[in-house]
Amino acid sequence: MNAWLVAPIAIPLVTLVLCMLWRRNPPLVAALSVLGAAALTVVGLALVGKVADGAILAGQMGGWQAPYGISLVIDRLAAAMVAITGVIGLATVVYGVSRPGDPAVGRDFHLFVQGLLTGVCGAFITGDVFNLYVWFEVLLIASFALMVLGGGARRLSGTVVYVFLNLLATLLFLLAAGLLYGATGTLNMAELAVHAAAGEVPAGGIVAVVLMLLAFSIKAALFPVFGWLPASYHVAWTPVSALFAGLLTKVGVYALIRIVTLVWPQAGLAHEVLLWVACFTMLVGVLGAAAQTEVRRILSFHIVSQVGYMVLGLALATPLALAGAVFYLIHHIVVKANLFFIGGLAARIAGSERLAAMGGLYAHAPWLAILFAIPALSLAGIPPLSGFWAKFVLVKASLDTGAWIAAAVALITGVFTLLSMSKIWNEAFLKAHPQGEGALRRATGSAPAYAAVAVLAAITVAIGLAAGPVMAYAVAAAAQLADPSAYAGAVFAAGGR
């Protein structure tokens, strides 16, 4: 087994164990968590370099041959997702250090973050449907604990909604996995791709895959099964909601991309359905955001709308559209997590995250205003930031395929996104605070949080200014997704059949 394949799972898992061993020493736990997340980031970036030339890393755990063993696979998309997971994980634990509050809460926060990173990375690199389910369970258990961290009736209420809908999705996923195994005799993704290419997936297997896609749609917060997200994300502790905003729905999107491209690489009925789902997701999400009056509720609805763009790329199924989906994934994870971080800092200074009770932040904290403007404008698709290029590619791909309605919806969603970001800017930053300047607080101990926010903002700018190399990588990743035979060949070459 190639050590590079195991590292993305082993690093956060070992970090979790070490944090548990020294859990009575919260400062040490925080230091270990930061080091673990930094190590994961380094490994993720190294993996991007290793697969940049088109190599697909694959191996079988325990020496069992595929399709009977546990396959781990890292291609360009998986490597990019591991790298960005490390970046967001590192930003999250650094941000969490800036305001630990109760030392026990801060300590437990780092434990559960490492558990969640373990599950997320496992989901990105597994080559087996059942083990995808297992890694979903790992990250969900950690996310349940993180969601309720700190207590309170409001947080508990949001957690109940979050837990119920995600458990429903998990139940559907497990049922689909059982049906798929019964119909095809395998859960290995590579072998499923081989069966699909040969037209050997029976009707029962197709039903199972459709049920599985429904489960992933819930986890990705697609229309019409998105309501759990805006009802829950805004109540969590700020670094928790930022971590969720950046990563959790993207695991669902990643699973959709992986299964659809392996089983249905060519455009068909499934892609037509996904196209309409993507359009409604964009519209409903952005209109929902327009009706909100709290910063994180606005941002939560925008998670929904932006997921629609990613699924649009998958639905169009052209090489350019898939490249746009990959680019959008990378861009959005950074931007959305950063906006939640900044929203938390703004609420800490203003004393509230209700727009009516905020104001005066531009004069009081000009650097925070600048740091907000960068991801906000990127989310809306203003050039030359990363969001502009992501939206441009997807709109062009829509026009190239004659999907005029999808292109129009994407553009309209961008306009309404800009209006929502302008509303936050006007209410929180430009207008005077309702209680006067004296009501604004000093965000003491926030240097680590500002550092995390500044680095993510710099990444957003860098992706926009260096869009060429990033897009080239996304195009190459899309080419791999469009050719399931390369994925299957790498898995079986590593030991199988």
Side-chain angles (χ1 to χ4, degrees):
M1 171 62 67
N2 189 330
W4 287 104
L5 284 168
V6 181
I9 299 172
I11 289 172
L13 184 59
V14 169
T15 304
L16 170 61
V17 172
L18 293 176
C19 289
M20 291 180 66
L21 291 175
W22 279 283
R23 65 191 301 270
R24 295 183 182 276
N25 188 342
L28 180 57
V29 167
L32 289 170
S33 184
V34 171
L35 288 174
L40 179 61
T41 303
V42 171
V43 167
L45 294 173
L47 286 170
V48 169
K50 285 185 170 293
V51 302
D53 62 353
I56 298 178
L57 305 181
Q60 314 302 323
M61 294 293 292
W64 290 88
Q65 290 188 335
Y68 307 107
I70 298 175
S71 300
L72 298 180
V73 189
I74 299 179
D75 58 4
R76 289 187 179 103
L77 176 58
M81 297 306 289
V82 169
I84 207 69
T85 297
V87 171
I88 298 303
L90 180 57
T92 299
V93 295
V94 169
Y95 189 102
V97 168
S98 71
R99 193 182 180 187
D102 179 359
V105 172
R107 175 199 66 203
D108 294 340
F109 164 76
H110 291 289
L111 292 173
F112 296 131
V113 166
Q114 295 301 326
L116 186 141
L117 294 179
T118 303
V120 170
C121 289
F124 287 150
I125 68 175
T126 186
D128 179 270
V129 170
F130 181 76
N131 285 288
L132 179 60
Y133 164 79
V134 171
W135 291 121
F136 265 119
E137 287 297 289
V138 171
L139 72 89
L140 282 176
I141 290 170
S143 70
F144 294 162
L146 284 168
M147 178 65 74
V148 80
L149 197 65
R154 186 167 181 256
R155 191 163 290 164
L156 183 60
S157 175
T159 302
V160 169
V161 175
Y162 175 83
V163 169
F164 178 78
L165 267 297
N166 276 278
L167 286 179
L168 175 62
T170 298
L171 180 62
L172 289 173
F173 188 6
L174 184 60
L175 176 61
L179 291 173
L180 185 62
Y181 185 77
T184 65
T186 185
L187 291 176
N188 184 277
M189 294 181 188
E191 189 163 37
L192 287 172
V194 171
H195 288 334
E200 297 173 354
V201 179
I206 299 298
V207 171
V209 172
V210 170
L211 189 61
M212 193 178 301
L213 296 183
L214 175 59
F216 295 155
S217 296
I218 296 175
K219 293 181 182 294
L222 290 174
F223 177 86
V225 286
F226 64 89
W228 61 270
L229 191 154
S232 58
Y233 273 22
H234 69 288
V235 303
W237 194 29
T238 296
V240 172
S241 61
L243 181 65
F244 286 10
L247 291 179
L248 289 196
T249 52
K250 311 318 176 299
V251 180
V253 172
Y254 174 88
L256 279 169
I257 292 174
R258 185 63 73 189
I259 295 299
V260 170
T261 54
L262 287 174
V263 178
W264 288 313
Q266 304 300 320
L269 178 61
H271 296 82
E272 185 71 22
V273 172
L274 283 173
L275 183 63
W276 286 106
V277 167
C279 290
F280 280 113
T281 300
M282 286 187 280
L283 280 178
V284 172
V286 80
L287 292 177
Q292 303 308 308
T293 58
E294 293 184 9
V295 173
R296 284 195 294 171
R297 283 187 67 89
I298 293 172
L299 297 177
S300 294
F301 271 99
H302 277 301
I303 296 174
V304 177
S305 69
Q306 303 298 303
V307 165
Y309 283 98
M310 304 168 206
V311 177
L312 172 61
L314 174 62
L316 294 172
T318 65
L320 182 62
L322 286 173
V326 173
F327 195 111
Y328 213 102
L329 266 172
I330 296 169
H331 137 78
H332 186 260
I333 290 173
V334 175
V335 165
K336 183 54 69 174
N338 205 17
L339 283 170
F340 271 80
F341 285 140
I342 295 167
L345 283 171
R348 191 186 307 181
I349 296 171
S352 174
E353 61 180 339
R354 291 188 305 108
L355 292 178
M358 300 177 75
L361 290 175
Y362 182 82
H364 184 82
W367 280 109
L368 184 63
I370 294 172
L371 291 172
F372 169 78
I374 293 172
L377 293 175
S378 182
L379 189 74
I382 302 301
L385 299 169
S386 58
F388 167 76
W389 300 109
K391 285 183 170 66
F392 174 80
V393 170
L394 288 172
V395 169
K396 184 178 187 306
S398 300
L399 296 175
D400 287 347
T401 58
W404 307 102
I405 294 177
V409 169
L411 292 172
I412 292 170
T413 301
V415 171
F416 275 95
T417 302
L418 181 60
L419 292 175
S420 288
M421 295 301 104
S422 299
K423 180 168 71 172
I424 297 175
W425 176 261
N426 291 331
E427 294 292 316
F429 290 91
L430 286 189
K431 87 172 195 306
H433 196 284
Q435 299 177 18
E437 188 177 348
L440 295 169
R441 308 169 182 175
R442 289 181 57 84
T444 56
S446 297
Y450 271 98
V453 166
V455 169
L456 293 182
I459 292 174
T460 299
V461 174
I463 293 175
L465 296 180
V470 178
M471 190 62 205
Y473 186 92
V475 168
Q480 284 185 326
L481 291 171
D483 182 18
S485 64
Y487 183 97
V491 171
F492 294 130
R497 292 164 68 97

